[in-house]
């Protein structure tokens, strides 16, 4: 939450607290603040337990961190133990470091020769040399 606060900022806040509240009131203020934080954490833990008990036994392992969108997407795409979309095989087959270095993949999943042009998809009779393809009014 406060990961971007440096040592100078913490020192500045501490000095300002000593100047504003004084050295005699500061310990009491810190104790009151810590007590308030403990009460809030206790309230949140009790609320989580109440929600779990109300949801029933099938949600006893429900983790509230799963409601965080980043965690939800990571869990759904990468799957913790489960792989409903088959993405684990795809992730294991791709070697990012070798791809960035221009090296060939260690375990190719399919052999495709990119040096040859791809064969056109057959969508009807082959055109003679110089013949124009038919006009498709829906394509424009």
């Amino acid at each position: 939450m406060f990961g971007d606060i440096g040592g100078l900022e913490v020192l500045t806040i501490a000095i300002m607290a000593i100047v504003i509240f004084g050295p005699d009131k500061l310990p009491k203020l810190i104790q009151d603040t810590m007590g308030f934080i403990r009460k809030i954490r206790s309230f949140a833990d009790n609320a989580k337990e109440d929600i779990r008990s109300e949801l029933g036994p099938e949600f006893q392992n429900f983790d509230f961190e799963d409601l965080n969108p980043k965690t939800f997407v990571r869990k759904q795409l990468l799957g913790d133990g489960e792989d409903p979309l088959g993405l684990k095989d795809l992730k294991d087959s791709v070697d990012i470091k070798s791809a960035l270095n221009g090296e060939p993949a260690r375990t190719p999943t399919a052999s495709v020769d990119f040096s040859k042009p791809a064969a056109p998809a057959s969508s009807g009779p082959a055109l003679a040399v110089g013949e124009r393809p038919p006009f498709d009014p829906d394509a424009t």
Side-chain angles (χ1 to χ4, degrees):
M1 184 167 141
F2 298 109
D4 58 344
I5 294 179
L8 186 60
E9 286 93 358
V10 172
L11 182 66
T12 304
I13 292 172
I15 291 172
M16 286 178 56
I18 291 172
V19 169
I20 293 172
F21 298 109
D24 55 332
K25 293 182 183 178
L26 195 59
K28 176 74 171 131
L29 181 68
I30 291 173
Q31 284 179 341
D32 292 343
T33 304
M34 293 305 293
F36 179 72
I37 290 173
R38 283 188 195 104
K39 284 182 183 178
I40 294 294
R41 284 184 182 169
S42 171
F43 177 72
D45 290 339
N46 289 338
K48 286 179 183 180
E49 290 304 317
D50 288 345
I51 290 172
R52 282 190 181 114
S53 66
E54 292 294 325
L55 288 175
E58 61 270 3
F59 290 100
Q60 288 299 321
N61 293 332
F62 178 72
D63 189 13
F64 286 91
E65 291 295 322
D66 292 342
L67 298 177
N68 182 348
K70 285 183 180 180
T71 308
F72 179 78
V73 169
R74 184 181 309 120
K75 197 169 194 177
Q76 295 302 317
L77 288 180
L78 301 179
D80 295 336
E82 300 176 14
D83 192 18
L85 300 176
L87 295 176
K88 186 162 178 74
D89 295 334
L90 179 64
K91 187 183 98 177
D92 292 340
S93 68
V94 175
D95 186 14
I96 300 291
K97 289 182 181 177
S98 66
L100 291 175
N101 292 333
E103 301 170 5
R106 290 179 294 165
T107 55
T109 56
S111 59
V112 178
D113 187 9
F114 290 108
S115 62
K116 298 178 185 175
S122 175
S123 62
L127 299 174
V129 176
E131 182 181 359
R132 298 184 76 182
F135 176 73
D136 184 8
D138 293 332
T140 56

